Amino acid sequence: MDDNWDSKLLRDTYLEIDLDRLAMNVDVIRRHVGEHVDLCAVIKANGYGMGAVDIAPTLIQNGATYLAVANLPEAMELRKRNSSWPIWVMGHTPDRYLKVAIENDITLTVFTLSQAETIQEIARLTGKIQPIQIKVDTGFNRLGFKITEMDIKSISSIFELANIEVVGVFSHLALASYDEDTKQLELLLGLKAKLELDGAKETVKYHVCDSISAISYPDFRLNMVRVGAALFGAKSYRYPDFPIETIAKFKTRISHLKNIEPGEGVSYDYKWRASRNSVVATLPFGYADGYPRNMTGQGEVVIEGRRFPIIGVICMDQCMVDVTELKGAHVGQEVTIFGSDAISIDELSQKAGTNKNEILSRLMQRVPRVYMKGGSIDHIRNDLL
Ligand SMILES: *Cc1c(COP(=O)(O)O)cnc(C)c1O
C-alpha cells in the first residue's frame, strides 16, 4: 500500500470492501427478480457496516431505484453526499423532525392519518409535494396501519391530500413460514385491490419482500423489493446456491510474537495455558472493533490460507493466536479475521450465536474501510481522521 493510502489507515486492522463484487451482486439480484421489479437498496446501519455513503454510488449506478434507511440522520448523511439520490426512511419519524425531512426531499414512512395531515400542512406551506410510503401491518406487529375498515378509510384519505404523493404501500414479512407469509401477502393484495377501486394510481409501488423473500418467493415481488443483506453477499440457508458473494473481508496484521513455555497462561484469568512450547501472535483487534467477545475459546483466524485458533480471552483491542504450527511467522504478516475466501461471516455468526447482519452492522467506526475497485484501492474511509 502506498504512503498516500497508508496515511488514511494508520492502523493494521481494516475492513476491505469489494465494490466490483457489490455491483455483481446487484446485477445478480436484479436479473433474478426481473426487469419489472424495482430494486430498493436497504443501506440502514451504515449500509450494514459497509459504509452507506461509500457504497451508494455503486448501488445507484447499477440500477437501484431507491436508497432505504431506518431513520432520519441516516437519510441526512446520504443527502449531504448527494442532492438527487432518492432516499427513504423506512422507520418512524417523530413529528418534530418532519420539517427537516421535507426540506431535504426525504421520502417518509407514514402509518397514521394525523401524521399525514401534519406532513400535508408543512408541505403546503413550503409549496412541495411530499413523497411518502404508507406502512401496513399485515401481522409483524411492529409498525403500520392495521387492515381494518377504519384504517383503510384513513389510508384512502391520505391519498386525497393535495401536497402528498403516495409513492408506495408496503408491509414486512415475519418469515415465520411460507403459509403465514402468504397470508400477509394476501392481506396487502386485498388492500391494493380496494385502494385501486377507490382510484389509487397504478404508479404506486406495493412491496413486501426483503432479501430472503425477494430471492425465494417469486410470487411475492409485486413491483418492488427491498433488499439489504443479499447486496452484501449474505447467504441464507433458504437460498444456499444463489450466486452472490460476500463483499467484505476483515483483515489485520501480526503486531507481536513471542515464545512461551508449557504452563504459561495467556490473557485475562489465564483461561488458556500452553501445553507445549508455543509461539503466540498478538493481533491488534478486539471486541471494541466489533468482533464478538464470546468467540473466546472458539475463534479462529486465517494466515497463509490456514486456520489458527484465538487463545485466551478476547480483549477490547487485541487478541492472541497460537501460531506454533506456522513456519516463518513474522510481525506485519497479513491475517484474515473473516471474509469471502476465509472464515465466512455465516460461520462466525453461528458460532457467536447471532446473525450475519449483527456481525456486520456492529463493526465499529474505528475500523477503517478500504474500498477496492478494478483490483486496486478506490478510496479509504477513516471517520476518525
Ligand atoms: C432491513 C429491512 C429490509 C431489508 O432486510 P434484509 O433482510 O437485509 O434484506 C427490508 N425492509 C425493511 C422494512 C427493513 O427494515
Side-chain angles (χ1 to χ4, degrees):
M1 199 174 292
D2 70 28
D3 292 351
N4 201 19
W5 290 129
D6 242 355
S7 70
K8 296 212 152 172
L9 276 184
L10 302 189
R11 69 176 292 199
D12 275 338
T13 301
Y14 60 93
L15 191 70
E16 188 178 283
I17 293 155
D18 185 344
L19 293 174
D20 296 326
R21 191 65 249 180
L22 175 64
M24 281 189 258
N25 287 346
V26 172
D27 196 53
V28 166
I29 294 162
R30 284 189 65 211
R31 274 196 239 194
H32 182 72
V33 298
E35 57 182 321
H36 301 297
V37 179
D38 279 4
L39 174 65
C40 166
V42 178
I43 52 172
K44 59 195 178 191
N46 195 27
Y48 294 50
M50 302 294 107
V53 296
D54 302 276
I55 59 172
T58 303
L59 296 168
I60 294 284
Q61 281 155 25
N62 287 278
T65 55
Y66 242 116
L67 301 173
V69 291
N71 54 46
L72 188 54
E74 290 181 334
M76 293 301 290
E77 185 194 21
L78 290 165
R79 178 56 77 230
K80 249 186 2 201
R81 178 56 77 90
N82 185 293
S83 60
S84 61
W85 285 340
I87 303 167
W88 164 39
V89 173
M90 296 186 296
H92 169 62
T93 304
D95 281 355
R96 62 191 183 283
Y97 305 128
L98 292 174
K99 193 156 178 277
V100 175
I102 293 166
E103 282 169 355
N104 286 283
D105 297 316
I106 308 292
T107 301
L108 289 160
T109 293
V110 173
F111 46 89
T112 63
L113 178 56
S114 69
Q115 184 165 65
E117 287 167 345
T118 307
I119 293 170
Q120 159 61 28
E121 191 52 19
I122 300 169
R124 188 181 66 78
L125 291 172
T126 49
K128 294 199 172 213
I129 305 291
Q130 171 63 25
I132 66 160
Q133 298 261 0
I134 293 178
K135 177 106 201 221
V136 180
D137 188 345
T138 53
F140 201 105
N141 282 314
R142 190 167 62 178
L143 294 180
F145 281 112
K146 287 288 187 183
I147 305 191
T148 60
E149 217 153 283
M150 205 176 81
D151 278 3
I152 295 173
K153 254 196 204 138
S154 297
I155 295 171
S156 292
S157 335
I158 295 176
F159 273 87
E160 305 295 318
L161 296 171
N163 293 75
I164 282 183
E165 185 192 357
V166 179
V167 294
V169 178
F170 75 108
S171 193
H172 197 61
L173 298 175
L175 302 171
S177 68
Y178 185 79
D179 284 350
E180 286 177 292
D181 293 340
T182 303
K183 281 189 192 135
Q184 287 192 261
L185 174 70
E186 281 167 359
L187 279 172
L188 184 70
L189 290 178
L191 175 67
K192 176 176 187 273
K194 284 206 181 82
L195 294 174
E196 283 175 351
L197 265 181
D198 276 2
K201 280 188 284 183
E202 280 180 18
T203 51
V204 176
K205 303 281 179 197
Y206 291 83
H207 45 107
V208 71
C209 285
D210 64 350
S211 292
I212 287 174
S213 44
I215 292 168
S216 18
Y217 296 173
D219 299 337
F220 283 56
R221 293 176 194 139
L222 310 178
N223 48 17
M224 185 162 114
V225 292
R226 308 182 304 268
V227 176
L231 297 172
F232 316 115
K235 297 248 186 179
S236 166
Y237 68 93
R238 306 204 203 200
Y239 51 85
D241 299 321
F242 192 64
I244 47 173
E245 273 175 41
T246 307
I247 69 165
K249 266 184 219 163
F250 195 24
K251 290 182 163 181
T252 191
R253 293 178 186 278
I254 294 175
S255 53
H256 188 50
L257 280 165
K258 71 208 71 78
N259 297 301
I260 65 170
E261 299 194 344
E264 281 194 67
V266 168
S267 192
Y268 293 113
D269 301 330
Y270 292 160
K271 289 234 159 129
W272 185 91
R273 283 179 197 271
S275 57
R276 55 175 178 175
N277 287 313
S278 304
V279 185
V280 175
T282 303
L283 303 179
F285 75 94
Y287 62 82
D289 292 301
Y291 191 83
R293 186 174 179 277
N294 70 358
M295 290 304 287
T296 295
Q298 52 175 346
E300 291 176 301
V301 299
V302 171
I303 308 172
E304 286 188 348
R306 288 166 60 201
R307 289 173 180 244
F308 295 91
I310 297 176
I311 53 174
V313 170
I314 293 166
C315 309
M316 194 166 186
D317 319 294
Q318 306 182 73
C319 62
M320 275 63 83
V321 173
D322 180 354
V323 292
T324 314
E325 308 292 337
L326 177 64
K327 297 247 168 0
H330 56 276
V331 168
Q333 190 163 15
E334 211 177 81
V335 176
T336 303
I337 306 161
F338 63 72
S340 38
D341 62 351
I343 293 162
S344 70
I345 296 167
D346 195 30
E347 175 186 333
L348 178 64
S349 61
Q350 283 188 29
K351 286 186 173 162
T354 180
N355 69 2
K356 293 170 281 263
N357 292 348
E358 186 177 356
I359 294 286
L360 293 178
S361 62
R362 291 181 66 170
L363 290 170
M364 293 309 222
Q365 193 192 29
R366 76 175 192 179
V367 176
R369 270 54 170 185
V370 177
Y371 295 90
M372 306 298 291
K373 207 172 183 173
S376 57
I377 297 177
D378 180 72
H379 69 284
I380 293 179
R381 164 176 296 275
N382 190 337
D383 280 335
L384 272 58
L385 305 182

